[in-house]
Amino acid sequence: MARRGKPRKIRLWKVLRNVLPQLPRVAPRNPKGPAATRLPPPLAPETVAPDSWPGTLPEYFVYQWLQRRGLKEGTDFEYQVNVEGGRKRLFGAVVDFIVRVLPQTMVWRVQGYYWHFARGDQEAINADHRSRFELQSRGFLVIDLLDFDLIDPVQRDWVLRQAIQGVETFALSPNIFSTASLPA
């Protein structure tokens, strides 16, 4: 029996959809921009500090790195040390790490990008510079470590290997890529 009524319309897009090859969908790319505006990669579950850890996660990474290199806490390095009376005295400070690698005693300060730079708090930035100057005037070699550099294990290893040699790789520091002033 023949069909009566209007002739059936064939839509061109249906025919082309079946004839043309389907291209795979491409996931949208993350926007690119300056390194300071990108967030660090998400952390794997095994990179979480224990609940008993008193400091920040980047400080924990530095602490673990120092211990894996065979340095002993109390003799080769110290964590959270009061210098010149700590916060209770004028020009005193609490530093993250004091690393005793001959011939120089170094102070490693783990700097959080948000708290020390991104907020734009000029008082905090000036306080960091004053603290650095005071520590250097007491004979310490000051090495600043950025928290973003400590999240990625490969970057962390490179930055800390440079720091143990007295070289600072912190891009926002006034002493970028400075070599230690070691006695001859």
Side-chain angles (χ1 to χ4, degrees):
M1 184 161 145
R3 193 171 169 180
R4 293 186 199 195
K6 291 184 179 179
R8 192 169 151 204
K9 291 183 181 178
I10 299 177
R11 300 195 182 233
L12 183 61
W13 65 271
K14 284 186 177 181
V15 173
L16 290 177
R17 184 177 64 184
N18 294 334
V19 173
L20 294 176
Q22 295 293 316
L23 298 174
R25 291 188 175 199
V26 178
R29 291 184 174 172
N30 291 333
K32 298 200 183 252
T37 62
R38 289 181 291 205
L39 295 176
L43 298 174
E46 64 272 2
T47 59
V48 177
D51 292 335
S52 61
W53 178 250
T56 65
L57 185 61
E59 291 170 357
Y60 179 71
F61 291 150
V62 173
Y63 186 87
Q64 291 295 318
W65 188 89
L66 288 169
Q67 285 193 328
R68 280 195 303 270
R69 297 303 174 276
L71 298 171
K72 303 284 185 230
E73 185 177 11
T75 57
D76 299 322
F77 75 94
E78 292 181 49
Y79 175 67
Q80 293 290 314
V81 182
N82 287 332
V83 176
E84 295 293 322
R87 293 186 182 99
K88 295 180 180 180
R89 295 191 56 199
L90 185 63
F91 301 121
V94 176
V95 296
D96 295 324
F97 293 93
I98 290 185
V99 181
R100 293 178 186 91
V101 178
L102 295 178
Q104 184 80 33
T105 300
M106 295 181 278
V107 168
W108 289 4
R109 303 187 313 169
V110 178
Q111 304 284 356
Y113 175 74
Y114 176 77
W115 289 106
H116 292 270
F117 301 100
R119 292 184 309 153
D121 183 1
Q122 197 60 43
E123 275 186 42
I125 293 170
N126 290 339
D128 282 340
H129 286 299
R130 277 193 306 273
S131 173
R132 181 184 189 96
F133 177 76
E134 286 297 322
L135 291 167
Q136 287 174 336
S137 69
R138 289 189 175 93
F140 293 109
L141 174 65
V142 180
I143 304 288
D144 286 343
L145 305 167
L146 186 62
D147 61 349
F148 282 173
D149 290 338
L150 299 173
I151 299 293
D152 177 40
V154 175
Q155 180 74 8
R156 175 188 329 139
D157 189 53
W158 181 78
V159 166
L160 293 176
R161 276 189 287 117
Q162 295 296 313
I164 203 81
Q165 295 173 8
V167 177
E168 186 173 60
T169 59
F170 184 32
L172 301 175
S173 168
N175 295 336
I176 179 167
F177 292 109
S178 65
T179 56
S181 54
L182 301 176

